[in-house]
Amino acid sequence: MSAKTFRHGVHPPENKGLTEGRLIERIPMPAEVVLPLSQHLGAPSVALVKAGDRVYRGQLIAKAGGFVSVPLHASVTGKVKAIELRHHPSGRMVESIVIATDPSSPQTLHNEEPVDWESMPAEQLLTMVKEGGFVGLGGAAFPTHVKLSVPEGKHVQYFLVNGCECEPYLTTDHRIMLDWADAIFLGIRIIQKLLGAEKTFIGVETNKWDAIRGLQDRVPADLPCELVPLETKYPQGAEKMLVTAVLQREIPSGKLPLDAQVVVQNVGTVAGIGELFSFGQPLIERVITVTGPGIKQPSTLLVPVGTALQEILDYCGGITEDASQILFGGPMMGTPQYDLRVPVTKGVSGIVCLTSKQAAGPRQEYACIRCASCLDACPVFLNPTQLGALARMGRYDEMLENYHLMDCMECGSCSYVCPSNIPLVQRFRVAKGVIREEMARKKNNAA
């Protein structure tokens, strides 16, 4: 099988050897979990419980706050300790449901039972996914049911499973593909039926040949599904890059994969949906990679959502003396953490602990030398050189109107290759934030 790919992109060191051979290990139940009501894109969930309530593992404790929102379930059996502001991975204080774990409980799943999904119409399957509280587990945390809701007049030809995991260090999806193949194929059957798609493709980078061959050997004979090896290149896992590489279809500016008759889901999300329909488990736990030269015992862990970062680091033997930065996610798009009390939320795919040698600390910035390295790296063919110059002068409207700023997916490839250490992607994020605030202000004034 030959590997497909997209144009441009970069090749950062993979650094996956620390955990790619580590089996998935379930950690002991934490003494307490902190479940933020906002741990997904869209409106926060709305609490249905109060302090003092006893709750059970898998029980609904907060309802969706709108269409672009998801419900929240208890990840442990115990007592609601408080509903209060707690530290969040975003750096903000967010209203959260705090549950003290019952140490005497066997922590079995609330209402565990198989689901007769084959007799369900597509609408009922979609409702179950929504009620399961699923979001994209690749890091974006976008509500899954929204992506699976096909508007009237639209058609889905192909379902595309994202098994690329192109971020350095992370091996979460790799282990899921090796260890949870049955759940993945059940999830594919359900989503394919839900979407009415003709066929499913699973895109996997070629640094995971064991996963490619393992899944290929286990594709059910009656399931229209094909494994597609992809060149190991960053950001191969971005939706637009993945669709281009697998199907040779380009998604136009401002459009979605659905506009190319494709829906994309992360392989971990697909496996989670398989488990939901196997025995009724909503999204209450997830697999994460704990890795990097700054952690003493790199591991692949299955953790309850809401477990504190400190507790996970302790389970892995703690950080090394020279550890200087901890990221939620990979080093290209991950978020630095400044408080070890923050909980693992649904969208956290990995914890990367870096030493001062690897951490991307402040670097001396030099003037742009017009080398065009950023243009050669940008996977969506923007002009980061010009965008960076406009951002430095605060000419945000010009970036939006003439240089397609909003098409930037903030992959960081431009910053990675810049020999002058110009923080391009950071400037683009600031520009987008200012533009969005201005748009919101105008909308409110017009209302």
Side-chain angles (χ1 to χ4, degrees), residues 178-316:
L178 289 173
D179 299 342
W180 292 358
D182 290 344
I184 292 171
F185 288 121
L186 177 56
I188 288 173
R189 282 188 188 278
I190 289 159
I191 294 174
Q192 203 165 285
K193 177 180 178 181
L194 192 160
L195 295 172
E198 297 173 13
K199 184 175 179 178
T200 295
F201 295 92
I202 306 176
V204 186
E205 287 189 338
T206 51
N207 57 356
K208 308 175 192 65
W209 273 112
D210 51 352
I212 294 171
R213 295 189 178 104
L215 289 175
Q216 184 66 65
D217 291 344
R218 298 180 68 174
V219 174
D222 64 333
L223 186 66
C225 178
E226 178 181 339
L227 268 293
V228 182
L230 299 169
E231 181 181 327
T232 301
K233 185 167 68 172
Y234 181 86
Q236 185 71 79
E239 284 192 347
K240 289 189 174 184
M241 287 35 296
L242 188 59
V243 171
T244 299
V246 174
L247 300 170
Q248 292 77 56
R249 292 183 181 180
E250 185 173 340
I251 301 171
S253 172
K255 300 294 183 180
L256 300 170
L258 187 57
D259 294 299
Q261 300 187 340
V262 182
V263 167
V264 182
Q265 285 289 344
N266 167 265
V267 70
T269 311
V270 175
I273 290 173
E275 292 196 336
L276 170 68
F277 286 87
S278 291
F279 53 94
Q281 178 170 299
L283 181 52
I284 57 173
E285 60 186 10
R286 66 156 301 148
V287 179
I288 62 169
T289 307
V290 186
T291 186
I295 189 74
K296 291 181 178 176
Q297 298 172 18
S299 306
T300 306
L301 302 179
L302 181 60
V303 302
V305 173
T307 304
L309 170 59
Q310 178 73 69
E311 190 143 354
I312 295 170
L313 297 177
D314 289 345
Y315 184 78
C316 295

Side-chain angles (χ1 to χ4, degrees), residues 143 174 301 312 322 325 339 345 374 402 413 424 435 443-444:
H174 189 179
L301 302 179
I312 295 170
D322 57 348
Q325 188 177 64
D339 193 318
T345 55
C374 55
N402 299 337
S413 295
L424 292 165
I435 289 170
K443 185 177 179 181
N444 290 335

